[in-house]
Amino acid sequence: MKNFIVRGTPYFPQELKNINKYKKLDNDINVDVVVVGGGITGALCSYYFNKEGISVALVEKENVATGSTSISTSLLQYELDEQIADLEKNSDLPTILKAYKFSEKGLKELTALIKEANIDCNFKKHDCLLYTDDKNKSDILQYEYEQRKHEGFNVKFLDKNTLKDFKFSFPIESGVYSYNGGAEFNPVKFTHNLIKYLNDKDVPIYENTEIIDYSHFDDYVILNTSNNQSITCKKVIVATGYDISLFTSKKFATMYTSYNIVTTPVDKINGWNNNCLIKTCENPYTYLRRTLDNRIIIGGEDTRFIPEFLESSVAEMQYKKLKDKLYSMFPDISFDIDYKYNGTFASTSDNLPFIGPDIKNKNIWYCLGYGANGTLFSVNGAKMLSKLYKGEVSEDLSLTSLDR
Ligand SMILES: Cc1cc2nc3c(=O)[nH]c(=O)nc-3n(C[C@H](O)[C@H](O)[C@H](O)COP(=O)(O)OP(=O)(O)OC[C@H]3O[C@@H](n4cnc5c(N)ncnc54)[C@H](O)[C@@H]3O)c2cc1C
């Protein structure tokens, strides 16, 4: 069964006016590093390897930025999918706090990249709200607040007393408000523009080029494409998102389907403090953001991975729940739904990604930004792997290693 799926009409590609196309690989090539996968992770890996002066090529079996990247809501936050109190069931507090810092580092790094390469992608910094309307969850959020505060994050605890300073139209029993705790962008625009930037710097980009098998040797790897070309390289970076069956049978994550709807533009919203990024403290959680043209994206209502034949009836139910939730949070607004889509989402037990060399095949390296912070994890992963190639071992690789 194909376990990687994007269904519906994603919003983000519609914002692009011109889409660059890249040619299929039609000869044998030899490079130091091949990045397999032309999503946001593949683009980031190619960027950091190129920055280190390493010869790198990117291959994509379809068109770039059409996989999971095309439906990422792109909330770029330091907090993880679950709260610290829940994560402590699978991990220890110092590791969890390191993971928060790791994500924060990813956001700083991404901000610097966008500036340095001058990538047009609608990037905007935001405050973030994590909240609950359930009294029974207040302890979890109080603890979350205390740990974050202690770690030096700029946070405020929301309760009946402090809430009066914030403008929210929906019931909040308690919450953690992070000042400048996140950002948003258009992930498709970012990926396309980063790939164009790389191509302009002579990094070869190949679309419609599928890797179908490979042979692993001590010092090199030979990859074969579906149209019978071969690529010889020293290292392969697996940036194939949720579709890794060609390279490993290891089960890194549990697959879910996550649902998004995007409204028509809503110009004025009362009760959305500072257009912050919003997440609920629920399982599965709901997440919300605005877009540049004043739409609202609301996502969540995750189900275990839904195969194709069951999809449409389940999806319509989940979209309806999201629409109802949005009306209940902002009763004054009126809107229609312009876009609805869903896709595979991979969740790991410690909310951390898998980044690093394969356990057996030392020339196959993974950059799998699993979890809700996939983008920021991929930023860090791409940088760490490019440094590793040069012999620098980042301390953070222990957080993301494949044998944990
Ligand atoms: C609904 C939803 C909401 C999300 N929201 C957020 C969010 O708010 N913030 C966040 O950080 N993350 C979010 N994510 C996660 C985010 O989408 C992923 O972390 C990210 O897009 C993964 O990018 P990628 O490049 O690794 O994978 P992809 O974009 O899937 O790219 C992988 C590429 O590899 C190619 N490929 C696969 N096999 C081969 C092969 N054999 N040969 C050549 N090419 C191949 C595929 O065609 C594909 O284009 C969300 C995910 C979903 C589903």
Side-chain angles (χ1 to χ4, degrees):
M1 181 171 55
K2 192 178 169 193
N3 68 356
F4 166 74
I5 290 175
V6 168
R7 291 175 288 214
T9 311
Y11 161 71
F12 288 112
Q14 320 290 325
E15 261 202 317
L16 270 74
K17 298 211 168 56
N18 302 312
I19 293 201
N20 289 306
K21 299 274 176 214
Y22 300 93
K23 68 174 190 135
K24 188 188 259 196
L25 180 67
D26 56 9
N27 58 311
D28 295 349
I29 57 166
N30 193 326
V31 281
D32 285 344
V33 173
V34 171
V35 174
V36 184
I40 196 165
T41 308
L44 286 162
C45 289
S46 306
Y47 171 81
Y48 283 106
F49 276 88
N50 175 262
K51 198 174 169 197
E52 289 294 330
I54 302 156
S55 88
V56 57
L58 180 148
V59 291
E60 163 56 47
K61 70 175 175 180
E62 294 174 14
N63 294 109
V64 301
T66 53
S68 166
T69 297
S70 65
I71 54 167
S72 167
T73 317
S74 290
L75 281 77
L76 310 168
Q77 296 175 269
Y78 69 78
E79 60 196 52
L80 304 178
D81 311 51
E82 292 169 83
Q83 284 64 64
I84 296 172
D86 295 321
L87 288 166
E88 279 186 295
K89 291 171 197 152
N90 282 316
S91 194
D92 57 88
L93 184 60
T95 306
I96 298 163
L97 294 173
K98 248 193 222 168
Y100 275 52
K101 287 284 178 194
F102 182 60
S103 302
E104 189 190 41
K105 192 197 272 183
L107 184 54
K108 282 193 186 136
E109 195 55 58
L110 178 65
T111 312
L113 181 166
I114 290 169
K115 197 164 170 218
E116 190 178 301
N118 195 19
I119 304 296
D120 176 18
C121 58
N122 309 350
F123 181 80
K124 203 165 172 224
K125 282 267 173 76
H126 275 290
D127 297 343
C128 306
L129 170 71
L130 172 71
Y131 84 96
T132 182
D133 57 7
D134 179 353
K135 267 198 184 98
N136 298 321
K137 292 210 169 124
S138 287
D139 288 352
I140 293 178
L141 285 186
Q142 175 83 45
Y143 183 67
E144 180 78 21
Y145 162 75
E146 281 160 11
Q147 296 306 327
R148 288 200 211 177
K149 183 90 190 155
H150 187 256
E151 203 55 27
F153 289 109
N154 187 5
V155 281
K156 180 144 186 149
F157 185 65
L158 303 191
D159 60 12
K160 281 190 184 62
N161 296 323
T162 51
L163 257 171
K164 57 183 180 320
D165 301 330
F166 293 79
K167 290 192 194 86
F168 288 114
S169 56
F170 44 92
I172 295 179
E173 187 59 40
S174 55
V176 180
Y177 193 85
S178 299
Y179 295 97
N180 261 317
E184 62 179 34
F185 66 5
N186 177 332
V188 176
K189 203 168 179 185
F190 173 81
T191 304
H192 268 285
N193 286 338
L194 184 58
I195 286 178
K196 181 175 182 315
Y197 167 88
L198 291 167
N199 198 234
D200 289 347
K201 284 175 151 274
D202 293 330
V203 173
I205 310 289
Y206 300 103
E207 288 187 319
N208 302 304
T209 301
E210 180 174 8
I211 303 302
I212 53 163
D213 61 44
Y214 67 93
S215 308
H216 188 274
F217 301 92
D218 268 359
D219 297 324
Y220 64 101
V221 181
I222 299 179
L223 299 160
N224 298 309
T225 73
S226 54
N227 64 329
N228 299 319
Q229 308 302 331
S230 74
I231 308 174
T232 306
C233 61
K234 293 185 184 137
K235 302 285 176 211
V236 177
I237 308 299
V238 180
T240 53
Y242 305 137
D243 187 2
I244 51 170
S245 52
L246 177 65
F247 297 96
T248 178
S249 54
K250 189 170 155 93
K251 196 172 173 294
F252 289 110
T254 310
M255 297 299 172
Y256 292 89
T257 299
S258 194
Y259 303 81
N260 277 199
I261 57 174
V262 184
T263 67
T264 45
V266 183
D267 289 337
K268 193 167 173 345
I269 304 182
N270 294 317
W272 190 328
N273 198 80
N274 241 351
N275 282 334
C276 62
L277 309 179
I278 301 177
K279 251 167 83 173
T280 63
C281 171
E282 292 168 321
N283 186 13
Y285 58 85
T286 309
Y287 44 97
L288 295 94
R289 63 165 277 194
R290 308 292 311 272
T291 65
L292 197 69
D293 58 351
N294 292 334
R295 298 169 190 275
I296 302 167
I297 308 180
I298 178 167
E301 297 300 339
D302 300 6
T303 53
R304 284 303 279 259
F305 174 74
I306 302 269
E308 202 92 48
F309 61 94
L310 279 177
E311 188 263 332
S312 59
S313 57
V314 177
E316 285 309 320
M317 272 180 345
Q318 306 312 89
Y319 297 142
K320 164 107 180 35
K321 286 185 206 162
L322 290 169
K323 188 176 173 185
D324 292 347
K325 172 105 192 175
L326 189 55
Y327 269 126
S328 76
M329 290 174 77
F330 304 104
D332 295 345
I333 61 171
S334 67
F335 61 85
D336 285 321
I337 304 301
D338 262 357
Y339 301 90
K340 11 185 209 183
Y341 44 88
N342 68 78
T344 313
F345 177 77
S347 179
T348 60
S349 60
D350 55 7
N351 291 190
L352 278 164
F354 288 92
I355 296 159
D358 189 84
I359 308 300
K360 277 202 313 251
N361 294 329
K362 66 184 172 89
N363 300 320
I364 306 283
W365 293 4
Y366 296 88
C367 193
L368 307 174
Y370 293 169
N373 286 17
T375 308
L376 298 182
F377 290 153
S378 290
V379 173
N380 285 327
K383 183 165 182 186
M384 290 194 301
L385 293 180
S386 70
K387 295 281 180 196
L388 186 65
Y389 190 89
K390 292 265 169 156
E392 272 178 55
V393 184
S394 162
E395 217 184 274
D396 290 329
L397 276 170
S398 62
L399 277 179
T400 66
S401 76
L402 273 76
D403 58 355
R404 64 182 208 281

